[in-house]
Amino acid sequence: MTPLLPTPDHYLQNLITMTSPEAKRMWRQAIKEHFNCQCVYCGEHYELHELTLDHVVPRFYGGETTTRNLVPSCRKCNQNKGTSNWLSWMRETFGITPRERLILSHIK
Ligand SMILES: [Zn+2]
């Protein structure tokens, strides 16, 4: 299990991490593993390489590329959510689900 750290730079402090791209890869993998390789929006499980990372608050609205603002998402959900408010979009698409709490506790 890869430790979940706030940014790729934090992985550079790990002695086994030699390069910046490797740190970024570890970071992305840790976020996906933290959520058991599940798309936080639809709840389906995927292989690591099938999941994207979604900015909960879109970059368009100033959302940062940090662990607290990134969640694993399947391509379909990532694309459909787009720049919508995540909670409104999720409720319109899936109704109220326990996954809302997962996201809330991750982003706070
Ligand atoms: Zn999904």
Side-chain angles (χ1 to χ4, degrees):
M1 195 81 161
T2 314
L4 185 65
L5 303 175
T7 69
D9 285 348
H10 286 75
Y11 289 92
L12 290 174
Q13 294 162 15
N14 182 334
L15 291 177
I16 64 162
T17 304
M18 303 307 288
T19 65
S20 176
E22 176 67 4
K24 193 167 182 184
R25 191 195 63 76
M26 281 182 71
W27 176 58
R28 296 176 60 87
Q29 180 171 331
I31 296 170
K32 294 173 185 177
E33 286 176 354
H34 180 72
F35 289 91
N36 299 311
C37 292
Q38 186 182 31
C39 169
V40 291
Y41 299 123
C42 68
E44 294 294 321
H45 285 86
Y46 290 90
E47 298 293 324
L48 272 178
H49 71 273
E50 295 174 313
L51 283 167
T52 64
L53 290 178
D54 181 57
H55 288 76
V56 179
V57 176
R59 273 177 294 186
F60 183 78
Y61 293 115
E64 293 184 345
T65 304
T66 58
T67 299
R68 290 266 170 239
N69 193 42
L70 289 172
V71 290
S73 167
C74 68
R75 289 176 205 286
K76 190 179 167 193
C77 288
N78 197 332
Q79 222 164 48
N80 291 347
K81 173 177 165 273
T83 56
S84 308
N85 173 278
W86 71 272
L87 190 55
S88 309
W89 175 80
M90 220 176 147
R91 287 188 175 176
E92 280 163 22
T93 311
F94 304 109
I96 296 174
T97 75
R99 295 186 301 280
E100 285 180 13
R101 295 180 65 89
L102 268 183
I103 299 172
L104 280 170
S105 67
H106 184 69
I107 66 177
K108 75 180 177 195

